[in-house]
Amino acid sequence: MASRKPLIAGNWKMFKTCPEAETTSRQLVERVGDVSSVDIMIAPPFTALAVVSKAIEGSSMELGAQNLYWEKEGAFTGEVSAPMIASAGCRYVIIGHSERRQFFGETDAGVNKKIQAAFEASLIPVVCVGETEPERDSGKTFSVLDKQIQEGLKDLNLNTSNPPVIAYEPVWAIGTGKTAQPEQAQEAHAYIRKLISQGFGDELASAIRILYGGSVKPGNIAELMALPDIDGALVGGASLKPETFSEIIHYRT
Ligand code: PGA
């Protein structure tokens, strides 16, 4: 098995005011701020990046944003660029989350530009892919992943010292309490790794971290992490509470 360091990432989505984000991140620092066996990232809303950055300073936790716009600056009211995110203290940025694809019309071509912009600002993109329930039911899971990976990563130079992270998040498992069966998750992760190997070579395929996302909680994390191609988790709902998120981070104990 490859020696990829696990990444446990929390996606806070559109939750938490600045004071709430500060309290939660301080509590997380107390619980997991010295953990070094896994990488930890939290992605608060843009408004709370600065307070969370300050609260986690000096701990092993790292900061991520939930989205970016690919232009560096300009007349794009309401958007936030990669250099802005980096200057707020972020190391990671989530790109192409299914909620962005579903509610805000994001496309694989847009995802591709966003990943490029993240690289240019030395951010590590966490690129989300995954099929909907009707797509799975009609046997299209692999063809959906093919398209998302091939078009999303098209023409990018991925053999960098900070390769991107992929998050496999079956849309039907997000926020629903339905987790993919371990064998379904492993099958999809192995397939994604094969696509990376075909498109970018074996070296990147064995180095890239593929996270699972969709109703991850303290009760199912250990089983998921035991699978050979699962290198971490992107956690939504269960990352909002320090108790549950820290239990997930301590999945080995
Ligand atoms: P969930 O969300 O853990 O609440 O299912 C995961 C995600 O959307 O990243």
Side-chain angles (χ1 to χ4, degrees):
M1 215 164 62
S3 58
R4 296 177 293 269
K5 189 173 183 190
L7 169 63
I8 306 288
N11 171 12
W12 287 0
K13 308 193 178 185
M14 199 175 75
F15 289 97
K16 296 190 189 292
T17 61
C18 289
E20 288 165 351
E22 184 174 7
T23 308
T24 306
S25 41
R26 286 200 190 286
Q27 288 171 355
L28 277 171
V29 168
E30 275 169 35
R31 288 167 182 266
V32 296
D34 59 353
V35 167
S36 57
S37 52
V38 301
D39 288 339
I40 306 168
M41 179 270 266
I42 46 176
F46 288 133
T47 44
L49 287 175
V51 284
V52 173
S53 172
K54 197 150 178 266
I56 65 175
E57 209 176 353
S59 78
S60 60
M61 294 168 55
E62 292 180 296
L63 193 63
Q66 298 175 17
N67 183 27
L68 58 71
Y69 186 58
W70 56 76
E71 295 290 345
K72 286 192 180 66
E73 60 180 14
F76 301 104
T77 302
E79 295 297 319
V80 177
S81 73
M84 292 171 184
I85 286 165
S87 77
C90 289
R91 180 160 159 79
Y92 294 90
V93 57
I94 299 171
I95 291 179
H97 189 277
S98 66
E99 285 150 16
R100 301 239 26 111
R101 295 176 188 259
Q102 211 179 328
F103 304 130
F104 302 98
E106 287 208 1
T107 62
D108 292 317
V111 165
N112 184 264
K113 289 192 204 175
K114 290 183 177 196
I115 299 170
Q116 181 60 37
F119 282 143
E120 282 167 17
S122 301
L123 292 163
I124 302 175
V126 178
V127 183
C128 302
V129 296
E131 79 289 357
T132 62
E133 192 151 37
E135 287 165 346
R136 175 163 282 269
D137 291 347
S138 56
K140 295 200 189 112
T141 298
F142 289 160
S143 62
V144 168
L145 295 176
D146 276 339
K147 180 175 177 298
Q148 289 175 336
I149 294 283
Q150 275 159 21
E151 294 183 12
L153 303 183
K154 193 166 176 242
D155 296 333
L156 294 172
N157 174 13
L158 299 189
N159 289 303
T160 60
S161 50
N162 276 331
V165 174
I166 307 283
Y168 169 64
E169 301 203 298
V171 179
W172 47 273
I174 295 179
T176 57
K178 285 194 224 170
T179 323
Q181 294 300 313
E183 53 281 11
Q184 289 174 320
Q186 168 55 28
E187 186 187 37
H189 281 233
Y191 187 73
I192 292 167
R193 204 176 298 285
K194 193 177 87 186
L195 291 176
I196 300 290
S197 161
Q198 288 165 350
F200 301 93
D202 285 346
E203 202 182 323
L204 183 72
S206 64
I208 202 163
R209 294 186 286 189
I210 308 176
L211 314 184
Y212 171 79
S215 299
V216 172
K217 39 189 183 273
N220 58 23
I221 182 73
E223 185 180 33
L224 289 163
M225 292 303 291
L227 298 165
D229 285 296
I230 296 191
D231 309 310
L234 181 54
V235 187
S239 73
L240 294 170
K241 288 205 184 97
E243 304 78 32
T244 45
F245 194 48
S246 58
E247 251 191 88
I248 290 172
I249 290 163
H250 287 299
Y251 67 92
R252 285 201 181 95
T253 51

